[in-house]
Amino acid sequence: MATRKRTSTAPEKDSTKPSTLAPPVEKNLSAEVLAALDITDTSMNPPASLEGRDHELLKKLYDGVVKARAFEDRMHSMYRAGDLLGSYYSGNWHEAISVGTMAAMEERDYYCPLHRDVGGHLMRGMPPEQIMGSFMGKSIAPTGGRDGTLHYGRLDLNTYNPPSHIPANYPVATGMAFAAKYRGEDRVAVAICGDGSTSRADFHESVNIAGAMQLPAVFQVQNNQIAMGTKLSMQTNSGSFVIKAAAYGIPGIKCDGTDVIAVYDAMKEAIDRARSGGGPTIVEAVTMRMHGHAEHDGAEYVDPALKEEWGKRDPVELYEKRLIEAGVISEEEAAETREAARKWAIAARKIAITAPMPDPTNIEEGVYAD
């Protein structure tokens, strides 16, 4: 395997994080071996430094995670109030991943998100009421009400709809990356899946062909500890998912998915490499699924101790605390931002609730070719 010049970072001990939160990046492999394989692991490092960062970017990330959390909170209450046609798939504790990822992307890049990436959708410009309307089957949804759940995307925003059968978006992103390279376009395709998706053939087929053709793609795995009801130890015998990058001869980066700056740094490095012709990267972002697979799932199968540990790692609260301590924002500004986001989400709900249902006479529009 060709050796790249990029320096891999060995895992560092962090006394502020419980040692049981994440396993070593790979069983029985030293940091030197991982570096030779071009695998970087920052997931157990201290939070990424804010020193020298653009404050506008830091505030943009804060606004993103706060709005994502406000949206999630509103959707949980809407589910319990019976506003939604079906269930809801929470992105709690995923906010830092979706927001950090989108901040590292350009508008022209292709976005093939996971169903828990509300923060990315909102940052890309999708109105909150449009997402809410999708779960309500309303006419304001991107599908015009032809779907009543999470399958919302907008091609005008270069955003592909999250599929139910994950990672069915991986081959799509690979095709987009191929098209970009074939046409000579300056675009990168970012595909996102969960830990359970890495057991499927389309994951391996997509990463393999992207590596073989050095396509401008980034494959992100959101490791949230549980694939529906399957825990990590039943999913794989590997110590991580990022190690799979070595099998395809591409770099891998593992980062703390509760640290929005760490996610931004990892995705920026991977996206910049893809854009400059360096080929694809696997990025593993580690977090926890704090709700059931969906709201109808009580998640009784989750170890309470695991949930209690991760409960101390709220990505929104941790980032807010760091910004205040660094003097980037004041406590008053933080409170104002949170309150503004709460009112923003409530206003979006009112629009979605009062939006009309689809007109049945339009059922064939956009479905059948002439």
Side-chain angles (χ1 to χ4, degrees), residues 109-181:
D109 293 336
Y110 296 112
Y111 184 46
C112 299
L114 191 66
H115 53 289
R116 305 190 195 282
D117 283 321
V118 165
H121 282 286
L122 295 173
M123 283 189 74
R124 182 144 265 201
M126 192 174 293
E129 60 270 19
Q130 196 171 44
I131 301 175
M132 292 173 175
S134 186
F135 283 88
M136 303 169 77
K138 292 295 186 74
S139 60
I140 61 172
T143 63
R146 291 176 174 80
D147 188 89
T149 180
L150 52 81
H151 307 119
Y152 49 86
R154 280 183 44 180
L155 295 181
D156 62 317
L157 296 177
N158 294 315
T159 300
Y160 178 73
N161 56 303
S164 291
H165 299 86
I166 308 167
N169 53 353
Y170 263 47
V172 174
T174 302
M176 290 172 170
F178 173 81
K181 184 172 183 177

Side-chain angles (χ1 to χ4, degrees), residues 214-227:
Q214 288 291 281
L215 300 180
V218 177
F219 299 104
Q220 184 188 88
V221 179
Q222 296 189 7
N223 176 359
N224 66 9
Q225 316 297 319
I226 312 149

Side-chain angles (χ1 to χ4, degrees), residues 153-210:
R154 280 183 44 180
L155 295 181
D156 62 317
L157 296 177
N158 294 315
T159 300
Y160 178 73
N161 56 303
S164 291
H165 299 86
I166 308 167
N169 53 353
Y170 263 47
V172 174
T174 302
M176 290 172 170
F178 173 81
K181 184 172 183 177
Y182 181 78
R183 296 168 180 162
E185 298 174 342
D186 181 20
R187 308 173 85 173
V188 175
V190 175
I192 304 171
C193 73
D195 41 278
S197 306
T198 61
S199 297
R200 283 175 49 114
D202 34 9
F203 171 89
H204 298 280
E205 293 162 354
S206 300
V207 177
N208 182 61
I209 194 65

Side-chain angles (χ1 to χ4, degrees), residues 345-368:
I346 290 174
R349 175 185 177 274
K350 289 181 180 178
I351 296 173
I353 289 286
T354 56
M357 296 299 285
D359 181 351
T361 63
N362 297 332
I363 193 169
E364 294 185 357
E365 289 186 5
V367 177
Y368 300 105

